[in-house]
Amino acid sequence: MKRLALAVLGAISLSACAQAPGGNTDPVPSATTATAAKSAAAPKPAAGTPEARAIEAVRALNPQVEVERVAPAAMPGFREAIVAGQVVYVSDDGRYLFLPGSGGALFDVAAKKNLSEDAMAGLRKQLIATIPASERIVFSPAKPKYTVTVFTDVECGYCRKLHSQIAEYNREGIAIEYLAFPRMGLGSDDYRKMVAVWCAPDRRKALTAAKSDHGPTKADCKTSVNQQYDVGQRVGLTGTPMIVTAEGVQVGGYLPPAALRETLDKLAAEHARTASTVPAKPGT
Protein backbone atom coordinates (compact mmCIF):
# COMPACT_ATOMS: atom_id res chain seq x y z
CA MET A 1 0.00 0.00 0.00
CA LYS A 2 2.85 2.36 0.81
CA ARG A 3 4.37 2.04 -2.66
CA LEU A 4 0.97 2.62 -4.25
CA ALA A 5 0.37 5.73 -2.18
CA LEU A 6 3.79 7.11 -3.00
CA ALA A 7 3.25 6.52 -6.70
CA VAL A 8 -0.07 8.33 -6.75
CA LEU A 9 0.72 11.12 -4.34
CA GLY A 10 4.20 11.64 -5.80
CA ALA A 11 2.65 12.42 -9.16
CA ILE A 12 0.11 14.72 -7.55
CA SER A 13 2.78 16.51 -5.52
CA LEU A 14 4.97 17.07 -8.58
CA SER A 15 2.02 18.56 -10.41
CA ALA A 16 1.21 20.83 -7.50
CA CYS A 17 4.82 22.05 -7.26
CA ALA A 18 4.94 22.75 -10.96
CA GLN A 19 1.80 24.85 -10.75
CA ALA A 20 2.80 26.82 -7.65
CA PRO A 21 3.19 30.56 -8.40
CA GLY A 22 6.86 31.53 -8.29
CA GLY A 23 6.20 34.97 -6.87
CA ASN A 24 4.40 33.88 -3.69
CA THR A 25 6.86 34.01 -0.78
CA ASP A 26 4.30 33.93 2.05
CA PRO A 27 4.34 30.35 3.42
CA VAL A 28 1.24 30.83 5.59
CA PRO A 29 -2.08 31.94 4.07
CA SER A 30 -3.78 34.86 5.78
CA ALA A 31 -6.86 34.31 7.93
CA THR A 32 -8.97 36.05 5.31
CA THR A 33 -7.64 33.79 2.55
CA ALA A 34 -8.17 30.67 4.65
CA THR A 35 -11.74 31.69 5.51
CA ALA A 36 -12.56 32.46 1.90
CA ALA A 37 -11.14 29.13 0.76
CA LYS A 38 -13.13 27.27 3.38
CA SER A 39 -16.35 29.05 2.47
CA ALA A 40 -15.77 28.30 -1.20
CA ALA A 41 -15.28 24.59 -0.57
CA ALA A 42 -17.88 22.26 -2.04
CA PRO A 43 -20.37 20.73 0.42
CA LYS A 44 -19.57 17.24 1.71
CA PRO A 45 -21.28 14.63 -0.49
CA ALA A 46 -23.79 12.22 1.01
CA ALA A 47 -22.41 8.87 2.13
CA GLY A 48 -22.70 6.07 -0.41
CA THR A 49 -22.72 8.37 -3.44
CA PRO A 50 -20.13 8.11 -6.23
CA GLU A 51 -18.73 11.46 -5.08
CA ALA A 52 -18.23 10.18 -1.54
CA ARG A 53 -16.61 6.98 -2.79
CA ALA A 54 -14.24 9.02 -4.96
CA ILE A 55 -13.08 10.99 -1.92
CA GLU A 56 -12.70 7.80 0.11
CA ALA A 57 -10.56 6.25 -2.63
CA VAL A 58 -8.18 9.21 -2.72
CA ARG A 59 -7.96 9.40 1.09
CA ALA A 60 -7.30 5.67 1.28
CA LEU A 61 -3.91 6.59 -0.15
CA ASN A 62 -3.36 9.59 2.10
CA PRO A 63 -5.82 10.68 4.83
CA GLN A 64 -4.32 14.19 4.86
CA VAL A 65 -4.87 15.00 1.19
CA GLU A 66 -7.55 17.54 0.37
CA VAL A 67 -10.00 16.77 -2.41
CA GLU A 68 -11.02 20.18 -3.68
CA ARG A 69 -13.89 19.19 -5.93
CA VAL A 70 -15.69 16.11 -7.26
CA ALA A 71 -17.96 16.13 -10.28
CA PRO A 72 -19.19 13.73 -12.97
CA ALA A 73 -16.49 12.99 -15.53
CA ALA A 74 -16.93 13.12 -19.30
CA MET A 75 -16.08 9.41 -19.23
CA PRO A 76 -19.16 7.41 -18.13
CA GLY A 77 -18.78 5.52 -14.87
CA PHE A 78 -16.14 7.86 -13.41
CA ARG A 79 -15.98 10.90 -11.17
CA GLU A 80 -13.55 13.73 -11.80
CA ALA A 81 -11.72 14.86 -8.66
CA ILE A 82 -9.40 17.83 -8.26
CA VAL A 83 -6.56 17.00 -5.89
CA ALA A 84 -3.68 19.42 -5.26
CA GLY A 85 -4.34 21.11 -8.58
CA GLN A 86 -4.42 17.89 -10.57
CA VAL A 87 -7.33 16.03 -12.13
CA VAL A 88 -7.79 12.45 -10.89
CA TYR A 89 -10.44 10.09 -12.20
CA VAL A 90 -12.10 7.61 -9.84
CA SER A 91 -14.58 4.92 -10.85
CA ASP A 92 -18.06 5.38 -9.42
CA ASP A 93 -17.63 2.30 -7.21
CA GLY A 94 -14.39 3.73 -5.77
CA ARG A 95 -12.35 0.74 -6.96
CA TYR A 96 -10.17 2.31 -9.65
CA LEU A 97 -8.18 5.54 -9.71
CA PHE A 98 -6.67 6.90 -12.90
CA LEU A 99 -3.95 9.53 -13.16
CA PRO A 100 -3.92 11.01 -16.67
CA GLY A 101 -1.10 12.81 -18.40
CA SER A 102 2.53 11.87 -18.95
CA GLY A 103 3.31 8.68 -17.07
CA GLY A 104 -0.37 8.26 -16.22
CA ALA A 105 -1.39 5.07 -14.48
CA LEU A 106 -4.46 3.08 -13.47
CA PHE A 107 -4.61 1.94 -9.85
CA ASP A 108 -6.77 -0.73 -8.23
CA VAL A 109 -7.38 0.90 -4.86
CA ALA A 110 -8.98 -2.17 -3.24
CA ALA A 111 -6.28 -4.60 -4.39
CA LYS A 112 -3.56 -2.00 -3.80
CA LYS A 113 -2.09 -2.49 -7.26
CA ASN A 114 -0.71 -0.26 -9.97
CA LEU A 115 -2.34 -2.06 -12.89
CA SER A 116 -0.40 -0.07 -15.48
CA GLU A 117 2.92 -0.96 -13.88
CA ASP A 118 1.88 -4.62 -13.61
CA ALA A 119 1.19 -4.66 -17.33
CA MET A 120 4.47 -2.92 -18.14
CA ALA A 121 6.42 -5.25 -15.84
CA GLY A 122 5.12 -8.26 -17.73
CA LEU A 123 6.04 -6.66 -21.04
CA ARG A 124 9.52 -5.67 -19.83
CA LYS A 125 10.21 -9.20 -18.62
CA GLN A 126 9.08 -10.65 -21.94
CA LEU A 127 11.11 -8.22 -24.06
CA ILE A 128 14.28 -8.51 -21.99
CA ALA A 129 14.06 -12.29 -22.29
CA THR A 130 14.50 -11.93 -26.06
CA ILE A 131 18.12 -10.85 -25.50
CA PRO A 132 20.23 -14.03 -25.29
CA ALA A 133 22.15 -14.54 -22.06
CA SER A 134 25.34 -14.66 -24.13
CA GLU A 135 24.73 -11.05 -25.22
CA ARG A 136 24.60 -9.64 -21.70
CA ILE A 137 27.65 -8.37 -19.85
CA VAL A 138 27.33 -9.88 -16.39
CA PHE A 139 28.97 -8.94 -13.11
CA SER A 140 27.79 -11.38 -10.46
CA PRO A 141 28.72 -12.75 -7.04
CA ALA A 142 29.09 -16.52 -6.69
CA LYS A 143 25.57 -17.00 -5.34
CA PRO A 144 23.46 -13.92 -6.09
CA LYS A 145 20.33 -13.24 -4.07
CA TYR A 146 18.93 -11.00 -6.80
CA THR A 147 19.62 -10.38 -10.47
CA VAL A 148 18.78 -7.09 -12.14
CA THR A 149 19.05 -5.89 -15.72
CA VAL A 150 20.68 -2.50 -16.20
CA PHE A 151 20.37 -0.63 -19.49
CA THR A 152 23.64 1.27 -19.61
CA ASP A 153 25.58 3.78 -21.66
CA VAL A 154 29.35 4.30 -21.65
CA GLU A 155 29.06 8.10 -21.52
CA CYS A 156 26.43 8.99 -18.87
CA GLY A 157 27.65 10.07 -15.46
CA TYR A 158 25.32 7.94 -13.35
CA CYS A 159 26.08 4.87 -15.50
CA ARG A 160 29.73 5.37 -14.68
CA LYS A 161 28.99 5.94 -11.01
CA LEU A 162 26.95 2.73 -10.84
CA HIS A 163 29.72 0.75 -12.53
CA SER A 164 32.38 2.21 -10.23
CA GLN A 165 30.48 0.49 -7.38
CA ILE A 166 29.97 -2.84 -9.13
CA ALA A 167 31.93 -4.74 -6.47
CA GLU A 168 29.67 -3.27 -3.77
CA TYR A 169 26.53 -4.37 -5.63
CA ASN A 170 27.98 -7.85 -5.82
CA ARG A 171 28.78 -7.81 -2.09
CA GLU A 172 25.12 -6.92 -1.48
CA GLY A 173 24.23 -10.16 -3.27
CA ILE A 174 23.11 -8.43 -6.47
CA ALA A 175 24.10 -9.61 -9.94
CA ILE A 176 24.16 -6.92 -12.63
CA GLU A 177 23.33 -7.91 -16.20
CA TYR A 178 24.15 -5.05 -18.53
CA LEU A 179 22.34 -4.31 -21.79
CA ALA A 180 23.42 -1.59 -24.18
CA PHE A 181 21.49 1.62 -24.66
CA PRO A 182 23.60 4.24 -26.45
CA ARG A 183 21.65 7.32 -25.44
CA MET A 184 22.91 9.43 -28.34
CA GLY A 185 21.22 7.07 -30.79
CA LEU A 186 22.19 4.53 -33.41
CA GLY A 187 25.15 5.58 -35.54
CA SER A 188 26.52 8.04 -32.97
CA ASP A 189 30.05 7.95 -31.55
CA ASP A 190 28.51 6.65 -28.35
CA TYR A 191 26.89 3.82 -30.31
CA ARG A 192 30.16 2.91 -32.04
CA LYS A 193 31.95 2.72 -28.69
CA MET A 194 29.31 0.35 -27.34
CA VAL A 195 29.49 -1.83 -30.45
CA ALA A 196 33.26 -1.97 -29.93
CA VAL A 197 32.71 -3.10 -26.34
CA TRP A 198 30.37 -5.88 -27.45
CA CYS A 199 32.90 -6.93 -30.12
CA ALA A 200 35.77 -7.11 -27.64
CA PRO A 201 37.09 -10.56 -26.65
CA ASP A 202 36.69 -9.60 -22.97
CA ARG A 203 33.50 -7.55 -22.79
CA ARG A 204 33.63 -7.03 -19.03
CA LYS A 205 37.12 -5.55 -19.25
CA ALA A 206 36.22 -3.50 -22.33
CA LEU A 207 33.09 -2.07 -20.71
CA THR A 208 34.98 -1.07 -17.57
CA ALA A 209 37.63 0.62 -19.70
CA ALA A 210 35.05 2.37 -21.90
CA LYS A 211 33.38 3.91 -18.86
CA SER A 212 36.65 5.69 -18.08
CA ASP A 213 37.33 6.69 -21.72
CA HIS A 214 39.96 4.00 -22.28
CA GLY A 215 37.90 1.40 -24.07
CA PRO A 216 37.95 0.22 -27.67
CA THR A 217 36.50 2.62 -30.25
CA LYS A 218 36.52 0.52 -33.44
CA ALA A 219 34.87 -2.77 -34.27
CA ASP A 220 33.88 -4.75 -37.32
CA CYS A 221 31.74 -7.54 -35.90
CA LYS A 222 28.02 -8.16 -35.80
CA THR A 223 26.43 -7.47 -32.40
CA SER A 224 23.01 -7.31 -30.77
CA VAL A 225 23.46 -3.66 -29.69
CA ASN A 226 20.75 -2.54 -32.13
CA GLN A 227 18.35 -5.14 -30.70
CA GLN A 228 19.16 -4.10 -27.13
CA TYR A 229 18.59 -0.45 -28.02
CA ASP A 230 15.21 -1.34 -29.55
CA VAL A 231 14.20 -3.30 -26.45
CA GLY A 232 15.20 -0.36 -24.25
CA GLN A 233 12.88 1.92 -26.18
CA ARG A 234 10.03 -0.57 -26.03
CA VAL A 235 10.27 -1.09 -22.26
CA GLY A 236 9.79 2.63 -21.65
CA LEU A 237 13.36 3.72 -21.07
CA THR A 238 13.69 7.50 -20.87
CA GLY A 239 17.20 7.73 -19.44
CA THR A 240 20.22 5.70 -18.43
CA PRO A 241 20.86 3.83 -16.28
CA MET A 242 17.55 1.99 -16.03
CA ILE A 243 17.37 -0.82 -13.47
CA VAL A 244 14.80 -3.59 -13.97
CA THR A 245 14.19 -6.53 -11.62
CA ALA A 246 13.88 -10.15 -12.72
CA GLU A 247 10.09 -9.67 -12.53
CA GLY A 248 10.22 -6.69 -14.91
CA VAL A 249 9.69 -3.98 -12.28
CA GLN A 250 11.55 -0.73 -12.91
CA VAL A 251 13.27 0.42 -9.69
CA GLY A 252 15.52 3.23 -10.97
CA GLY A 253 17.56 5.26 -12.15
CA TYR A 254 20.74 5.05 -10.25
CA LEU A 255 20.43 3.61 -6.75
CA PRO A 256 23.40 3.14 -4.40
CA PRO A 257 24.20 -0.53 -3.62
CA ALA A 258 22.66 -0.63 -0.13
CA ALA A 259 19.56 1.25 -1.31
CA LEU A 260 19.07 -1.13 -4.22
CA ARG A 261 19.38 -4.14 -1.92
CA GLU A 262 16.82 -2.59 0.46
CA THR A 263 14.45 -1.95 -2.45
CA LEU A 264 14.79 -5.51 -3.74
CA ASP A 265 14.21 -6.91 -0.25
CA LYS A 266 11.02 -4.86 0.09
CA LEU A 267 9.76 -5.97 -3.32
CA ALA A 268 10.45 -9.60 -2.44
CA ALA A 269 8.58 -9.21 0.87
CA GLU A 270 5.61 -7.59 -0.90
CA HIS A 271 5.57 -10.39 -3.46
CA ALA A 272 5.60 -13.00 -0.69
CA ARG A 273 2.73 -11.28 1.14
CA THR A 274 0.70 -11.05 -2.06
CA ALA A 275 1.33 -14.71 -2.88
CA SER A 276 0.24 -15.78 0.60
CA THR A 277 -3.11 -14.00 0.24
CA VAL A 278 -4.02 -15.47 -3.16
CA PRO A 279 -6.71 -18.13 -2.64
CA ALA A 280 -5.69 -21.64 -3.69
CA LYS A 281 -7.33 -23.00 -6.80
CA PRO A 282 -9.91 -25.76 -6.28
CA GLY A 283 -8.32 -29.18 -6.27
CA THR A 284 -4.82 -27.93 -5.37
Side-chain angles (χ1 to χ4, degrees):
M1 180 65 174
K2 184 178 180 180
R3 290 179 64 236
L4 176 64
L6 288 175
V8 176
L9 297 175
I12 292 173
S13 297
L14 287 173
S15 174
C17 289
Q19 295 178 31
N24 183 8
T25 59
D26 184 1
V28 181
S30 66
T32 302
T33 302
T35 302
K38 186 175 181 180
S39 63
K44 183 178 179 181
T49 62
E51 287 75 15
R53 284 191 287 268
I55 294 173
E56 290 168 5
V58 174
R59 288 183 176 166
L61 303 177
N62 185 346
Q64 283 76 45
V65 73
E66 283 298 323
V67 180
E68 298 164 22
R69 182 173 67 89
V70 180
M75 181 169 48
F78 280 79
R79 300 292 107 172
E80 181 181 275
I82 307 298
V83 184
Q86 179 170 335
V87 177
V88 176
Y89 296 98
V90 184
S91 60
D92 285 347
D93 60 3
R95 176 71 183 263
Y96 300 103
L97 185 150
F98 177 66
L99 280 171
S102 177
L106 177 65
F107 297 88
D108 184 330
V109 177
K112 304 176 178 63
K113 281 189 175 184
N114 181 337
L115 300 179
S116 299
E117 174 57 30
D118 285 356
M120 279 303 300
L123 177 63
R124 291 189 196 106
K125 183 176 180 180
Q126 179 183 354
L127 289 171
I128 290 171
T130 65
I131 307 296
S134 61
E135 289 299 307
R136 308 174 190 200
I137 300 180
V138 181
F139 291 80
S140 175
K143 295 182 179 180
K145 173 71 174 177
Y146 302 108
T147 298
V148 297
T149 298
V150 178
F151 286 88
T152 194
D153 175 86
V154 296
E155 300 284 356
C156 84
Y158 277 107
C159 296
R160 293 184 174 195
K161 182 175 178 63
L162 187 153
H163 192 68
S164 72
Q165 298 172 297
I166 200 70
E168 295 177 50
Y169 288 103
N170 288 171
R171 282 193 290 271
E172 291 285 352
I174 303 168
I176 304 289
E177 294 190 350
Y178 280 123
L179 294 180
F181 192 87
R183 59 179 182 160
M184 300 306 292
L186 302 182
S188 63
D189 288 341
D190 186 23
Y191 166 79
R192 285 187 282 273
K193 290 178 183 179
M194 300 203 77
V195 169
V197 167
W198 257 258
C199 284
D202 186 337
R203 291 175 179 171
R204 284 161 46 100
K205 183 177 179 180
L207 181 64
T208 299
K211 287 179 179 288
S212 58
D213 297 320
H214 299 297
T217 57
K218 295 181 180 180
D220 57 0
C221 75
K222 184 178 180 180
T223 72
S224 63
V225 170
N226 288 44
Q227 180 190 7
Q228 295 175 47
Y229 182 80
D230 177 66
V231 167
Q233 291 183 311
R234 294 170 67 188
V235 299
L237 187 151
T238 56
T240 52
M242 176 184 183
I243 305 173
V244 182
T245 72
E247 291 73 35
V249 177
Q250 181 182 352
V251 295
Y254 166 79
L255 284 176
L260 179 56
R261 175 58 192 259
E262 182 181 1
T263 298
L264 295 172
D265 284 341
K266 288 180 179 178
L267 286 171
E270 288 180 14
H271 179 74
R273 283 196 299 269
T274 301
S276 67
T277 59
V278 175
K281 295 180 180 180
T284 61

